[in-house]
Structures are given as structure tokens and as C-alpha cells.
Amino acid sequence: MAALRAGKTNNEADQPSSPVLRFGSDKPLKLDAGTLLSPFQIAYQTYGTLNDARSNAILVCHALTGDQHVANTNPVTGKPGWWEVLIGPGKIIDTNRFFVICSNVIGGCLGSTGPASTNPATGKPYGLDLPVITIRDMVRAQQMLIDHFGIEKLFCVLGGSMGGMQVLEWASSYPERVFSALPIATGARHSSQNIAFHEVGRQAVMADPDWHGGKYFEHGKRPEKGLAVARMAAHITYLSEAALHRKFGRNLQDRDHLTFGFDADFQIESYLRHQGMTFVDRFDANSYLYMTRSMDYFDLAADHGGRLADAFAGTKTRFCLVSFTSDWLFPTEESRSIVHALNAAGASVSFVEIETDRGHDAFLLDEPELFAAINGFIGSAARARGLSA
């Protein structure tokens, strides 16, 4: 079964189970690395209908290991979309009312050009021959997708974690094209601690003998063990100590006594191993390297002379930021610093800190306070935009 899913993932890289927009040599993607990516493609999903004024479009930006399948069944895992709890007919983001777009980011592995995609120059997967991708590069590609739909201004751009970084980049790089922005559980730059965790994950992947310098497809291999360890380490950062204690404590896994060995004695060990094993079935190892690097490089203030407020100078975009009390990956002070910068720039901004013990991943879960905040902000922005209920 794992091999079957791995095959599906490989197929998705070039021929995704979703619409795909291809750009030829006449429309290259300019990368921060100083090179042009051409040809390239963007895989995406849409939900709802774009109105005649093209004013009801919402762009959803996915997190590190997310994809374009935000509100439909994932073709690889068979599981529901990662934000189906929020997006759909009659839901908080009502697809009877809004036209929702979600694309796989450049550097991803489910249809947008990434390291698992075929390099037209060689006929083999790019591997590490793909230039390093930044958050700004992802947004540039999304902007080209939005142009394809003839949308001049997005009603809202929203996302959590790495998706929130994209939201901030959108609002900074294309303020005239973003009516409202909703960055959740994110920051204006990656902290040294977060970079450190990512480096542990990358080293785990690259230390796997099946990695083969990034050319594992050519060897018929996949660095599954290294990627699984990377996912296990990262997954811990998405949770909180309180949530782990509440869910697992020191409970033993399918046994009454310690084995005095190195099997998964504890439930938390078994849980993490499961997370690692299921992750490698749906995600490309090289793409994990690229995605984590893009987050590490993100520093919005540094891109504007070290002053974060200058990133939003003169903006007319309406903002709402959301953080979670138990999120130690992107703690509340990260959001507060963005709010202070937006205040200094004279922007319209609201801020909500939600009390929860679910940690960073709370933005993906059924959190009533989060839904209430999103619902209130979207409703207010829709009225200001003149979108009827």
C-alpha cells in the first residue's frame, strides 16, 4: 500500500489530479536566487464561482506540508481536504458566496514545479538542480495564477504558518491587489530556534543512505527513514506539552509493563512513528528540504531595510492576525510585532489571541474561537467590499 501511494505521489509531480496552469519560455518566473525558472507549472484547486465583478475571490495559502487540496478529497491519501472544516458550502468561508483558490506552492510536490518535477533539460527529476525557492517566489507564481483568472484584487488572502508568511508577503508586495489579509499562527521572519529545528530535519533526510545526494529517484530509492525522523521532530513543534500530556501522558502502548528495550513502549512514541511513516507516503523528501529552506529565508523586515513597518507603508489592506497561547513555534509575540508594525504604518488591523492548549496546529483544528474570529473578519470585510450576504 505504501509503495502504491508513493507511486501516486510521483505521478502527481508532473500530472496532478487537479487543474494545472503551465507557463512557457515567454513567461518565466524570476526567482530571488537570481535565475529564471522556465518552463514551470502551478497546480491548483478552485471552489465556488467567480462573480461578474471578479470581486469575491479568496486565495488560501497552504502551510509547509500542505497542498492545493484544501476542501476536497486528497488524491494521494484519500483523506478530506486539510481545511474542509472551514471551507465549503454554508461554512465559514462559504463557497456559495466566495470563489476560493488554493495552489500548490512552487517547490511543492503535488503538481507545481518542484524538485520531484521533470527537468525538461535532462528528462529526469530536478532534485537539487532546482534553484532554492523563497516565499516571495511562491507569491510571484501565485500572482501569475491570479492574473490568469483576470482578478485585479483579491477579496482576501489567508493562511496559517508558512501560509501566513505568504499572506504577509502578498500584502507587502502587492498591497493594491489585497483587500483583506488574514495571517494565522505565523511570523514576519523565522526565528533561530525554528531554523535550528528545520536543520535537524534536513540533516536527517540527507543522512539517509537512500537520499543519494538528492538523486534518489534515479536509483529507485526514497529516503523514507530520514524523512520520517524529520517529520517526527517537526511534529513535536506543532503540538504543546499540555496537549501531549492530555492525550498521551506516560501511557504505555498495547502493553502492561516496560519491555526494557527500544520498541515503542509509550503511546507518544507509537504516535510519532505513525506520523513519520504516513508522511513519507505523501511527501517528497527533496521538497521538504526546499519548503523548510523557504521558511528559514523569510525575513520581511530585512527585505525593507530592517524596519518591518516599511513593508506595509501606505497599505489600504484590512488585516486580522490570529495567534494561539500554546503555540511555541510562532508565539504570540511574533504576531504582536506584526500588529505594532501595521499600527506604525497606519494600517487597519485587528488581533486575536486564542486560549488553547493545542499548540501551533490549532489553526487546522475545530477551534470555535478561531472560526468566530475568521467569520467576524470576513463578514466585516465583505460588507466593506460591497459583497452581499
Side-chain angles (χ1 to χ4, degrees), residues 21 23 42 44 101 103 141-149:
L21 184 61
F23 294 94
I42 303 174
Y44 65 93
I101 309 164
S103 68
Q142 289 166 353
Q143 182 253 337
M144 295 171 74
L145 175 64
I146 297 307
D147 284 348
H148 167 74
F149 286 106

Side-chain angles (χ1 to χ4, degrees), residues 122-361:
T122 65
K124 300 176 181 179
Y126 272 103
L128 299 195
D129 290 336
L130 184 76
V132 169
I133 304 297
T134 67
I135 298 295
R136 188 187 290 113
D137 294 334
M138 297 173 185
V139 169
R140 285 195 190 105
Q142 289 166 353
Q143 182 253 337
M144 295 171 74
L145 175 64
I146 297 307
D147 284 348
H148 167 74
F149 286 106
I151 298 167
E152 292 186 8
K153 177 175 282 194
L154 291 160
F155 164 63
C156 186
V157 183
L158 78 157
S161 195
M162 189 185 85
M165 291 179 170
Q166 295 165 61
V167 174
L168 294 172
E169 186 63 56
W170 259 101
S172 177
S173 293
Y174 305 103
E176 73 286 350
R177 302 194 67 172
V178 181
F179 184 78
S180 63
L182 220 170
I184 304 168
T186 194
R189 89 296 183 259
H190 226 203
S191 69
S192 59
Q193 177 177 261
N194 291 350
I195 294 171
F197 275 113
H198 276 174
E199 177 62 2
V200 169
R202 287 190 293 265
Q203 288 299 320
V205 170
M206 293 187 286
D208 190 317
D210 286 339
W211 185 59
H212 290 287
K215 298 182 183 296
Y216 43 87
F217 287 123
E218 297 178 30
H219 293 264
K221 302 285 187 178
R222 295 165 71 231
E224 295 182 354
K225 293 180 180 178
L227 183 58
V229 171
R231 176 61 171 180
M232 289 167 69
H235 195 72
I236 297 168
T237 71
Y238 305 150
L239 308 174
S240 72
E241 193 281 331
L244 285 171
H245 179 74
R246 170 172 48 80
K247 189 170 184 178
F248 302 108
R250 289 179 54 84
N251 297 330
L252 299 182
Q253 177 68 26
D254 299 329
R255 64 202 63 190
D256 298 323
H257 306 286
L258 298 175
T259 64
F260 292 93
F262 296 99
D263 193 8
D265 274 358
F266 297 97
Q267 287 181 3
I268 182 59
E269 294 175 314
S270 178
Y271 170 76
L272 287 175
R273 292 182 186 189
H274 173 74
Q275 289 294 323
M277 288 187 294
T278 56
F279 182 64
V280 302
D281 291 339
R282 69 174 181 87
F283 212 84
D284 174 57
N286 281 338
S287 190
Y288 190 81
L289 304 184
Y290 277 78
M291 295 295 92
T292 55
R293 207 52 165 163
S294 70
M295 293 182 72
D296 292 349
Y297 279 5
F298 186 66
D299 189 339
L300 203 53
D303 293 339
H304 293 83
R307 181 175 158 80
L308 185 56
D310 289 350
F312 307 108
T315 185
K316 298 295 190 292
T317 302
R318 302 161 66 99
F319 290 85
C320 177
L321 282 89
V322 181
S323 72
F324 303 103
T325 54
S326 56
D327 184 352
W328 57 278
L329 195 62
F330 288 101
T332 292
E333 52 261 33
E334 297 281 349
S335 291
R336 288 193 191 280
S337 68
I338 300 169
V339 171
H340 293 157
L342 288 167
N343 285 332
S348 169
V349 56
S350 56
F351 170 61
V352 180
E353 181 186 32
I354 294 174
E355 182 80 30
T356 177
D357 74 350
R358 288 170 142 182
H360 181 65
D361 262 0

Side-chain angles (χ1 to χ4, degrees), residues 47-51 56 95 97-100:
Y47 314 86
T49 303
L50 187 63
N51 63 14
N56 68 333
T95 51
R97 184 181 184 190
F98 300 111
F99 179 62
V100 177

